[in-house]
Amino acid sequence: MTVLSSPEPQVDDDEAAPPRPRRSWIFKFRCACRGLKLGVRGHSSFFVHFFFATLVVVAALVLHCDLLEWCVLLGCIGLVMTAELFNSAVETLFRGLDDTTKERVWPCLDIAAGAVLLASITAAIIGAAIFAAIFLRQHGII
């Protein structure tokens, strides 16, 4: 059985599209901030993540975390927020697909949500270990 495919169009170098103008760093940061705002708005799961991030920051302040502990905790918060932004991007792309394509690629949504879950569980375990060690150290147990 022979599969027919359309030949690739021949493009002369003279007909090539002109190069896009270079975007300034300010423009790139503006686009990134707009993307951050679009990713956070309208996604209720971000409110849950912000709530727990606030609890972590308050606990770190109360327990007087040192620099390394702060870095690890903030890295975990960043990991979860980044995973959630990627999940939001996949959801946004999914909404723009036609119904037949959606039927084929819906597992992507579950995979992206699984990535957020894994990042959240990992961050919770790391945070619990840090806070438990600080608490035990402050009470002279270790």
Side-chain angles (χ1 to χ4, degrees):
M1 178 170 161
T2 305
V3 177
L4 299 175
S5 63
S6 61
E8 299 212 9
Q10 298 292 325
V11 178
D12 293 336
D13 289 335
D14 297 335
E15 295 178 22
R20 290 180 21 186
R22 294 181 65 101
R23 300 186 314 172
S24 69
W25 282 103
I26 293 173
F27 181 77
K28 291 177 185 180
F29 280 117
R30 195 174 296 140
C31 291
C33 289
R34 185 181 68 233
L36 186 61
K37 185 171 70 172
L38 289 171
V40 172
R41 277 191 183 167
H43 295 275
S44 61
S45 54
F46 265 103
F47 294 110
V48 174
H49 295 305
F50 282 130
F51 173 75
F52 282 105
T54 303
L55 287 180
V56 167
V57 169
V58 169
L61 287 169
V62 169
L63 294 174
H64 305 289
C65 288
D66 63 22
L67 179 63
L68 181 60
E69 292 161 341
W70 270 106
C71 290
V72 172
L73 292 171
L74 293 177
C76 287
I77 291 170
L79 172 74
V80 172
M81 297 295 184
T82 301
E84 187 61 51
L85 279 172
F86 279 122
N87 185 41
S88 297
V90 170
E91 288 174 355
T92 302
L93 284 171
F94 185 81
R95 280 188 237 117
L97 299 174
D98 59 83
D99 289 336
T100 56
T101 306
K102 282 182 180 180
E103 289 177 20
R104 289 183 290 130
V105 299
W106 66 264
C108 292
L109 292 175
D110 292 341
I111 294 168
V116 175
L117 179 64
L118 181 62
S120 299
I121 290 171
T122 302
I125 291 170
I126 292 170
I130 288 173
F131 290 142
I134 292 170
F135 182 78
L136 295 174
R137 191 173 356 141
Q138 286 179 349
H139 288 83
I141 298 172
I142 60 170

